[in-house]
Amino acid sequence: MFQITEFMKKLDELYQKKQFSDIESYLRNGINEALGRHDEGTALILLNELMGYYRSVSRHADCAKAAEQALALIASMGLEGTVNHGTTLLNAATGLRAAGENEQAEKAYRQAQTILEAQLPAEDYRLASLYNNMSLLYASTGRLEQAAEYAQKAVSRIEQNPDARAELAISLSNLGGMYTRLGQSERAHRCLERAVRLFEQLPGGDDPHYPAALCALAELHFHQGEPEKSAELFRRALGLIERVYGRNDDWQTTRRNLAAAEDLIARRNAVKNKTGMELAREFYEQAGRPMLQQKYPEYVGRIAAGLAGEGSECLGFDDAFSVDHDFGPGFCLWLTKEDYQAIGSQLQADYQALAAQWSGAPTRNITPEGTNRVGVMEIDEFFRRFTGHNHAPKADSLRDVMVWNTIPQERLAAAVSGQVFEDSLGEFTRRRAEFSKYPEPVRLYRLGQALGRMAQAGQYNYPRAKKRQDTDMMYACLAEFVSAAQETAYLLDETYMPFYKWRARGMEQLEHAGSLIQLLHWLMERPAADGQAEETIEVVCACVAAELKRQGLASSEDTFLECHKREILQRMQQLLQNDGTEKAEPREPERKAARIKAIVDEEWRQFQQVQNEGGRASCQDDRSTFVLMRTSQFTPWNEEVLASYQQDLNRAGDQGWNLLTEKYARMMEHTAPQQYARLADRLPKRGPERLQLQELLISIMMQWTREVEQRCPHLMGRGRNLSSVQDGPWNVSSETYLRGELGTYSDETLGLYAQMVLDLLAQGENLVEQNMTCMARGYGYRSLKDAENACAAQSHTGRP
């Protein structure tokens, strides 16, 4: 008869003596011997042990094969639905989880849960083991709330058994890890401290789960800014893992974590609480300036030095936690284009050598996201990288305002952040001053838009969401309201809003944001359905309205911010007109320009009368964008098509018909077919020949559109989807939009338009490219290529 007790005793000795190479063969021989004696029950026990061994040494494929063999044995023994079956499924699932096969692991865990909950008493430690492992699975797949729920179930179960101290320690360790990831650090700390104390009290002190508890507590201390405590715990865990399992995957991970903690300690000790800006200035003054004076004496008076751009140290927000990434000695050297071409490459090599040799602090620990933040830079490229422009755009017209509006303000904040240590030439400082703040028309435009978002999200949509008891919508409204209120605060202070993670912190430096900070913080930390949220929103809006009035930007006593939005935008338009800047529209023949203006004005008038099911659309309040888009469309047209279409508009107006309403109604044939069916009889009829001509024009125009998309993917990616197959109720493609618009033209206009398209096609011209070029120029770019390059640059924002 197989002596299982003696066998397991010797197995424990092999583990204690770290004879890992002998364990596999020992278990395999035992399994074969048991099967040879037809002792399937013992073979099953040993197969489960073998699974655990393979899992501990990260041999995942072998673990899966052992699990298959064990489950096949259960089936042959008729043990489905028994505790043995449930325990084997639990072990198999844990092996699958370790191998990253999460979907299969969850399926096996669920099967084990069904069996073990039916077969075991509530206090059985195997249930706690099941819940702990399911918790780890949910955690690894990002379902943290479920992970914490199952970890708590494990603790609750095992606490019913006073003799299960090891199992309780394991469960507490797991629960602490879940609380850590959920950001509930106090709960996490209590659980992990308790788990570690329990493990320390166990006989031998070498429980295989003890290192995991030490590592979890170490990570918590690390993220709480206590690397010394973290390192001490990681060292203890490292020794335990090596003693019990050898240098497996967990040992390697723990060693890397210990190295990170030790590196952070070394960095903190080296910088001695200096800020990143102080460190940069010290590095420049002690090493950078002497190097320039020695190696580049003829250029030293032409090079600007400082630290600006991305990174918390450029905003003055760095702290002890910032030291762990993209931190260390570094400064920027800004050169003119001519100087950069002459010495840029060599100067960068000298800078890198300097950074590696300087003994004042450890070298920068650069992540992939933090590259190219320091070193030698061309002035033009520095500002183009952040803003898309070498020089700040003008602000003389609505077109100029729209150009400014395309620059993300967090990029503008980065461009003018930090400090300039020296700039004898003054070119970098002059360029920086150009971008220092929004021109007043731009500020007013952005302020008006932010006020509109506050009104829409907080004062209008949040109460409606609350009436519907739609929690998701309430959270979305509050998030949008807070974001818009933060932007408003920065605009009222005439400064740029930084990257999102620093917005709340940055508000502390604003002169006029004192009362808003606590109110917005209160909104962010309360449940979405809090009874006082609506009242708090109104208090925030009242504070903003009062500040607008104090600054002389608004006169209304109403606290509904939509009213203030309209007044702000009117002030912007008056400011532009008073500056005489509306003359900036480029003139081709005066007659054509006047006709285009008349057409766009009439379209805007009709557009204001379009009725939407959901109420007035936000684009109906954005005249400037409407004018730019429609003017760009009509500029390439010839005089005959323009005159005919103008006649269509005027005739419709005289007859009380709205061509803009007709256009959107025709689009609904593809975006909302059921609603369209109710409107179709009211629309002018289009015969089959007319429809055939429309589809021919659409096919030509869409081919032109695809050609432009191939050359300008970033720019075109900001617009509509191309094909009608991508349509939805609120997502109209370029193809459907074009089909709706062509459907509104009179037969005469469509015929003239078709002749123009065919002439362009014969000449090898692309009407869509001409339209997009006009639009790019309307936004201040010299060419379509420049607009594409700017969009491409803006799509690759770095990590502050």
Side-chain angles (χ1 to χ4, degrees):
M1 182 177 178
F2 196 98
Q3 299 295 321
I4 186 64
T5 303
E6 291 298 319
F7 184 92
M8 298 302 289
K9 182 178 179 181
K10 184 175 180 181
L11 179 62
D12 289 340
E13 290 176 358
L14 291 175
Y15 273 114
Q16 290 171 2
K17 294 177 181 178
K18 296 188 287 188
Q19 295 177 259
F20 301 116
S21 59
D22 296 333
I23 291 174
E24 179 182 14
S25 59
Y26 182 66
L27 284 169
R28 279 293 181 194
N29 290 337
I31 292 165
N32 292 334
E33 182 181 347
L35 290 173
R37 295 173 180 271
H38 302 290
D39 187 355
E40 288 84 357
T42 297
L44 183 61
I45 293 171
L46 300 185
L47 279 168
N48 276 278
E49 289 289 339
L50 185 61
M51 276 190 273
Y53 166 74
Y54 283 143
R55 186 175 67 247
S56 70
V57 294
S58 305
R59 290 172 59 179
H60 304 306
D62 290 328
C63 181
K65 291 178 182 177
E68 289 177 7
Q69 188 178 355
L71 290 171
L73 191 58
I74 283 172
S76 69
M77 297 168 66
L79 295 178
E80 288 97 334
T82 65
V83 171
N84 284 330
H85 186 199
T87 302
T88 302
L89 283 168
L90 168 59
N91 291 332
T94 302
L96 289 166
R97 176 173 58 80
E101 302 289 343
N102 293 325
E103 188 174 341
Q104 292 178 292
E106 183 171 3
K107 183 178 179 181
Y109 278 135
R110 288 293 186 187
Q111 291 177 309
Q113 182 179 7
T114 300
I115 294 170
L116 295 179
E117 285 182 342
Q119 297 291 330
L120 295 175
E123 68 276 7
D124 195 291
Y125 76 92
R126 285 170 288 186
L127 281 175
S129 177
L130 169 68
Y131 297 145
N132 274 324
N133 280 287
M134 293 182 75
S135 173
L136 293 172
L137 173 69
Y138 288 129
S140 68
T141 53
R143 292 172 282 180
L144 299 183
E145 295 290 348
Q146 286 178 275
E149 175 190 348
Y150 272 84
Q152 182 59 63
K153 287 176 71 170
V155 170
S156 299
R157 293 279 180 162
I158 211 66
E159 281 183 328
Q160 299 179 44
N161 187 342
D163 296 326
R165 288 188 299 166
E167 291 78 10
L168 179 58
I170 295 168
S171 300
L172 284 166
S173 175
N174 187 24
L175 180 58
M178 296 308 106
Y179 284 145
T180 297
R181 295 184 63 181
L182 284 167
Q184 301 176 19
S185 56
E186 291 186 10
R187 285 184 168 183
H189 201 277
R190 287 196 298 269
C191 289
L192 293 171
E193 287 278 16
R194 186 181 172 195
V196 168
R197 287 196 301 271
L198 285 169
F199 278 124
E200 289 172 347
Q201 295 167 7
L202 295 175
D206 278 359
D207 187 283
H209 297 91
Y210 182 21
L214 289 170
C215 288
L217 186 57
E219 288 183 32
L220 184 61
H221 280 298
F222 183 87
H223 292 297
Q224 289 178 326
E226 301 171 327
E228 291 81 8
K229 292 182 180 179
S230 174
E232 190 273 329
L233 291 165
F234 277 133
R235 287 190 196 98
R236 288 166 59 186
L238 198 66
L240 283 169
I241 294 170
E242 185 170 9
R243 187 158 63 247
V244 176
Y245 292 122
R247 298 189 174 187
N248 63 0
D249 289 354
D250 290 336
W251 186 89
Q252 299 289 350
T253 299
T254 304
R255 186 180 66 166
R256 288 193 296 269
N257 289 338
L258 173 60
E262 291 175 338
D263 179 70
L264 183 55
I265 293 168
R267 289 181 179 277
R268 287 189 179 179
N269 291 337
V271 300
K272 297 181 175 63
N273 298 320
K274 293 186 181 76
T275 66
M277 190 61 65
E278 291 169 340
L279 192 63
R281 184 180 288 274
E282 185 177 297
F283 179 30
Y284 173 70
E285 292 177 348
Q286 292 182 7
R289 187 190 294 127
M291 181 269 288
L292 293 176
Q293 292 171 339
Q294 178 185 355
K295 293 190 174 185
Y296 302 91
E298 67 275 33
Y299 289 97
V300 69
R302 298 178 55 81
I303 298 173
L307 182 63
E310 298 164 308
S312 57
E313 65 270 32
C314 295
L315 296 170
F317 295 155
D318 53 309
D319 52 26
F321 295 99
S322 306
V323 182
D324 66 344
H325 73 282
D326 298 322
F327 192 92
F331 54 82
C332 304
L333 296 172
W334 294 289
L335 282 65
T336 65
K337 183 176 182 179
E338 296 75 18
D339 291 347
Y340 186 86
Q341 290 175 344
I343 64 169
S345 297
Q346 184 57 50
L347 181 56
Q348 177 64 24
D350 290 335
Y351 171 86
Q352 290 174 332
L354 197 70
Q357 296 166 4
W358 191 56
S359 60
T363 56
R364 288 176 72 89
N365 47 351
I366 301 173
T367 65
E369 297 81 5
T371 56
N372 302 321
R373 292 186 179 180
V374 294
V376 182
M377 305 174 188
E378 182 191 335
I379 295 174
D380 282 354
E381 180 56 32
F382 176 84
F383 288 103
R384 191 163 52 240
R385 171 186 173 191
F386 290 106
T387 71
H389 301 269
N390 298 346
H391 290 270
K394 299 182 298 181
D396 296 336
S397 67
L398 284 172
R399 182 186 65 186
D400 296 335
V401 171
M402 293 303 104
V403 172
W404 271 97
N405 196 50
T406 61
I407 308 173
Q409 58 183 318
E410 63 269 18
R411 308 295 289 164
L412 286 165
V416 299
S417 68
Q419 297 178 16
V420 179
F421 304 154
E422 287 185 339
D423 185 12
S424 300
L425 184 65
E427 179 57 28
F428 181 80
T429 301
R430 283 191 292 272
R431 199 79 62 87
R432 183 176 161 93
E434 293 178 14
F435 288 98
S436 61
K437 66 178 182 178
Y438 282 128
E440 187 62 5
V442 181
R443 181 175 82 105
L444 292 177
Y445 176 81
R446 293 198 66 99
L447 181 58
Q449 300 305 313
L451 293 171
R453 286 166 49 218
M454 287 181 69
Q456 187 75 8
Q459 294 177 292
Y460 180 74
N461 280 325
Y462 175 80
R464 292 169 66 85
K466 193 171 183 181
K467 288 178 182 177
R468 293 187 174 106
Q469 297 184 336
D470 188 333
T471 303
D472 290 346
M473 187 186 294
M474 282 189 279
Y475 273 115
C477 290
L478 287 177
E480 179 69 7
F481 176 79
V482 169
S483 175
Q486 290 174 328
E487 181 176 0
T488 298
Y490 281 93
L491 289 166
L492 287 171
D493 231 63
E494 298 189 56
T495 189
Y496 299 126
M497 184 167 65
F499 190 61
Y500 72 88
K501 70 177 181 179
W502 299 121
R503 289 176 186 174
R505 172 89 174 269
M507 285 181 67
E508 297 171 4
Q509 300 177 351
L510 301 181
E511 181 180 351
H512 307 299
S515 58
L516 293 184
I517 294 173
Q518 291 302 320
L519 291 169
L520 297 179
H521 181 73
W522 187 93
L523 281 175
M524 286 187 282
E525 69 177 3
R526 291 292 197 281
D530 190 287
Q532 297 181 37
E534 202 168 339
E535 178 183 341
T536 305
I537 287 171
E538 289 302 325
V539 173
V540 170
C541 293
C543 290
V544 169
E547 181 59 25
L548 288 168
K549 192 170 184 181
R550 192 194 70 78
Q551 293 191 21
L553 296 173
S555 58
S556 174
E557 299 293 334
D558 199 330
T559 59
F560 184 49
L561 295 184
E562 186 67 28
C563 300
H564 297 284
K565 168 191 173 179
R566 290 194 286 270
E567 186 172 355
I568 292 291
L569 293 180
Q570 287 171 1
R571 287 177 179 272
M572 178 204 69
Q573 292 172 341
Q574 290 170 1
L575 185 61
L576 291 174
Q577 291 167 359
N578 291 340
D579 286 346
T581 57
E582 287 297 275
K583 64 181 182 299
E585 283 295 330
R587 306 281 183 178
E588 297 180 13
E590 289 290 328
R591 182 177 170 185
K592 180 177 179 180
R595 190 185 297 278
I596 290 173
K597 184 178 185 305
I599 288 172
V600 174
D601 286 346
E602 177 58 22
E603 280 197 331
W604 176 255
R605 187 191 69 77
Q606 294 190 23
F607 188 44
Q608 297 308 291
Q609 298 172 357
V610 174
Q611 301 295 317
N612 300 288
E613 285 190 357
R616 185 174 175 84
S618 60
C619 56
Q620 288 177 288
D621 294 324
D622 191 358
R623 181 184 174 91
S624 57
T625 301
F626 182 91
V627 168
L628 191 150
M629 296 293 182
R630 299 304 288 173
T631 300
S632 299
Q633 172 166 318
F634 296 131
T635 297
W637 286 16
N638 62 42
E639 186 69 21
E640 288 179 293
V641 183
L642 286 171
S644 183
Y645 180 63
Q646 185 179 22
Q647 187 176 8
D648 291 350
L649 279 171
N650 293 337
R651 184 186 302 117
D654 293 339
Q655 296 172 354
W657 185 252
N658 190 317
L659 288 187
L660 277 292
T661 297
E662 180 184 344
K663 175 168 63 177
Y664 290 107
R666 291 189 182 280
M667 292 181 204
M668 292 170 65
E669 183 176 5
H670 298 273
T671 61
Q674 293 179 344
Q675 292 92 321
Y676 174 78
R678 297 196 295 266
L679 300 172
D681 290 340
R682 306 180 201 173
L683 302 178
K685 303 301 180 186
R686 304 303 186 199
E689 292 184 1
R690 154 80 185 235
L691 294 175
Q692 187 176 9
L693 177 58
Q694 285 183 198
E695 292 305 311
L696 171 63
L697 293 171
I698 290 168
S699 66
I700 295 171
M701 295 289 287
M702 293 310 299
Q703 179 59 39
W704 279 339
T705 303
R706 283 187 283 272
E707 289 173 6
V708 176
E709 185 188 44
Q710 289 177 355
R711 295 197 298 274
C712 304
H714 295 92
L715 178 62
M716 296 295 283
R718 297 190 172 196
R720 301 175 184 273
N721 293 326
L722 295 191
S723 173
S724 292
V725 299
Q726 299 169 292
D727 283 340
W730 312 108
N731 185 11
V732 180
S733 67
S734 296
E735 182 181 355
T736 296
Y737 187 94
L738 178 61
R739 187 172 282 113
E741 176 144 330
L742 293 181
T744 68
Y745 297 169
S746 67
D747 289 346
E748 180 183 2
T749 299
L750 187 68
L752 292 170
Y753 182 86
Q755 187 61 55
M756 178 182 70
V757 168
L758 294 175
D759 288 344
L760 290 170
L761 190 64
Q763 297 164 17
E765 300 289 336
N766 183 324
L767 182 59
V768 175
E769 182 178 5
Q770 293 175 1
N771 169 216
M772 295 300 296
T773 298
C774 292
M775 192 181 304
R777 288 173 178 165
Y779 277 118
Y781 299 101
R782 291 178 299 176
S783 66
L784 195 59
K785 183 178 180 181
D786 281 357
E788 168 63 11
N789 291 340
C791 290
Q794 291 166 16
S795 69
H796 297 293
T797 56
R799 171 185 170 190

